[in-house]
Amino acid sequence: MKVTPLMIASMVGGTVEGDENIEITGFAKIEEAEPGQISFIANPKYAHFIDETKASVLLVDRTIARPEGSSVTLVRVDDPYVALADLLAAFQAQRPRPVGVEQPCFIAEGVEVPEGAYIGAFAYVGRGVRLGRNVMIYPQAYVGDGVTLGDDVVIRAGVRIYEGCVIGDRCIIHSGAVIGADGFGFAPKADGSFEKIAQIGNVVLEEDVEIGANTTVDRATFGSTRIGRGTKLDNLIQIAHNVELGENNVFAAQTGVAGSTRIGSYNRVGGQCGFAGHIRVGDRNEFGAQSGIPNNVGDDKRRIGYPAVDAAKFARTQVYLGRLAELFNKK
């Protein structure tokens, strides 16, 4: 089927400026695009690429000007990044998906495999597991006893989901992630050794959560470690026992959240941030990369640094630090 700018515009609610009937052959980065391909500009400061790119079509903001004489066709939308996400999702949906049960694998007696599900070779599905519609469990994944997987869940190769965990509809868990390993709980004894505290809770991922590769979410001591609806965790993140994350948060790689911390909704967390245990963080906050958060944080804050402080204060402090040598050299 021939794909044109006019078709793209109709899919994303955009308008076409230029040749609306060019055939689009694929997607590409704007610096590497070739004729026939489509790319995007999400930030107006990169508008100069309209003159430089070889792409035939660009998704752009409605306010970006098209240079006079330009041959590139623009599809103008309200939010190019969101439009691109919608287009890529539609493109991916056209790819064939695996269906059926590959052998060898292990599926415990009594587990119902719904029509449309996929279970890859060498996967393990334990006793009492409940599988939703269109579940995809890739090879060498482990789904422990009593786990619930909702509709349209994707479990990538090598994922480990311990017993009793609940994975909501449309969740995606990437390779190497471990959901429901024991929380780090040990009681110090008089002789200096440590006695393990049994971790008898579980992990609950609500709907539309995505867990990155090699990320770990520990089970609760009792109750549930809970990741709220729509929250996205990058690769190599550690979520400790009894943590509760609200809805629609995004956490970048190598962040760690210590035990029993509660974080609200719509927060944005940069890479390598660390949250102390037993603190409370509100909604709509932004934390810069490598921030250390030792205390409670309210709503609508921007924090950066170790310990994390107001972003404007941090910027001023960096200016002062840069002038220290000058101040010491004054006579």
Side-chain angles (χ1 to χ4, degrees):
M1 181 179 68
K2 180 180 177 181
V3 178
T4 67
L6 187 60
M7 293 174 60
I8 295 293
S10 67
M11 293 172 63
V12 297
T15 57
V16 179
E17 186 173 342
D19 187 347
E20 62 184 27
N21 293 310
I22 299 173
E23 182 172 5
I24 298 171
T25 58
F27 297 87
K29 293 167 60 177
I30 197 165
E31 306 95 325
E32 301 172 0
E34 297 294 334
Q37 294 181 318
I38 184 172
S39 191
F40 76 106
I41 298 175
N43 190 324
K45 74 178 183 179
Y46 298 118
H48 61 88
F49 276 111
I50 296 177
D51 281 330
E52 300 171 16
T53 187
K54 295 180 181 178
S56 295
V57 183
L58 292 176
L59 283 169
V60 299
D61 183 90
R62 297 188 190 277
T63 63
I64 290 180
R66 183 170 182 248
E68 187 175 348
S70 175
S71 62
V72 67
T73 293
L74 305 183
V75 177
R76 297 189 178 278
V77 294
D78 294 330
D79 189 326
Y81 206 56
V82 171
L84 179 69
D86 291 341
L87 287 177
L88 291 175
F91 176 77
Q92 187 177 46
Q94 299 303 312
R95 293 178 173 177
R97 66 184 297 278
V99 178
V101 178
E102 298 176 349
Q103 295 298 339
C105 68
F106 175 82
I107 302 174
E109 185 176 352
V111 174
E112 289 189 24
V113 180
E115 187 175 351
Y118 165 68
I119 301 178
F122 300 101
Y124 180 100
V125 180
R127 296 184 303 274
V129 168
R130 290 183 288 176
L131 301 176
R133 294 172 297 177
N134 302 316
V135 160
M136 300 176 69
I137 302 174
Y138 280 81
Q140 298 184 332
Y142 170 84
V143 182
D145 295 349
V147 166
T148 297
L149 303 182
D151 296 341
D152 301 303
V153 165
V154 178
I155 307 299
R156 286 290 181 177
V159 168
R160 305 292 186 257
I161 304 177
Y162 284 37
E163 62 275 5
C165 293
V166 178
I167 312 300
D169 296 346
R170 299 174 301 281
C171 287
I172 301 171
I173 305 178
H174 290 280
S175 294
V178 178
I179 309 299
D182 283 358
F184 193 66
F186 298 91
K189 299 172 67 175
D191 62 2
S193 64
F194 293 88
E195 181 174 353
K196 182 177 177 62
I197 299 172
Q199 307 291 295
I200 62 172
N202 72 346
V203 172
V204 175
L205 306 185
E206 296 181 359
E207 294 84 353
D208 300 301
V209 167
E210 185 158 351
I211 305 294
N214 295 316
T215 283
T216 58
V217 183
D218 289 347
R219 70 194 309 108
T221 307
F222 37 81
S224 297
T225 301
R226 184 175 295 272
I227 311 297
R229 181 195 307 266
T231 286
K232 317 297 184 186
L233 303 183
D234 198 358
N235 306 330
L236 296 165
I237 285 176
Q238 158 67 11
I239 304 296
H241 59 184
N242 290 97
V243 166
E244 296 183 14
L245 305 183
E247 299 181 359
N248 295 303
N249 297 289
V250 285
F251 284 66
Q254 298 184 1
T255 288
V257 183
S260 299
T261 284
R262 295 182 183 177
I263 297 176
S265 299
Y266 302 99
N267 294 287
R268 299 183 179 186
V269 180
Q272 296 185 333
C273 285
F275 292 81
H278 298 269
I279 65 172
R280 302 293 179 264
V281 175
D283 301 332
R284 300 176 302 279
N285 297 293
E286 296 182 10
F287 297 94
Q290 297 187 328
S291 294
I293 300 92
N295 301 308
N296 296 342
V297 178
D299 299 332
D300 302 299
K301 308 297 184 185
R302 297 182 69 238
R303 295 283 188 264
I304 190 170
Y306 186 85
V309 296
D310 179 78
K313 180 179 179 180
F314 178 84
R316 290 194 299 271
T317 301
Q318 294 305 110
V319 172
Y320 300 152
L321 288 174
R323 297 182 60 189
L324 279 178
E326 174 189 337
L327 293 173
F328 276 109
N329 287 332
K330 283 186 175 181
K331 295 181 180 179

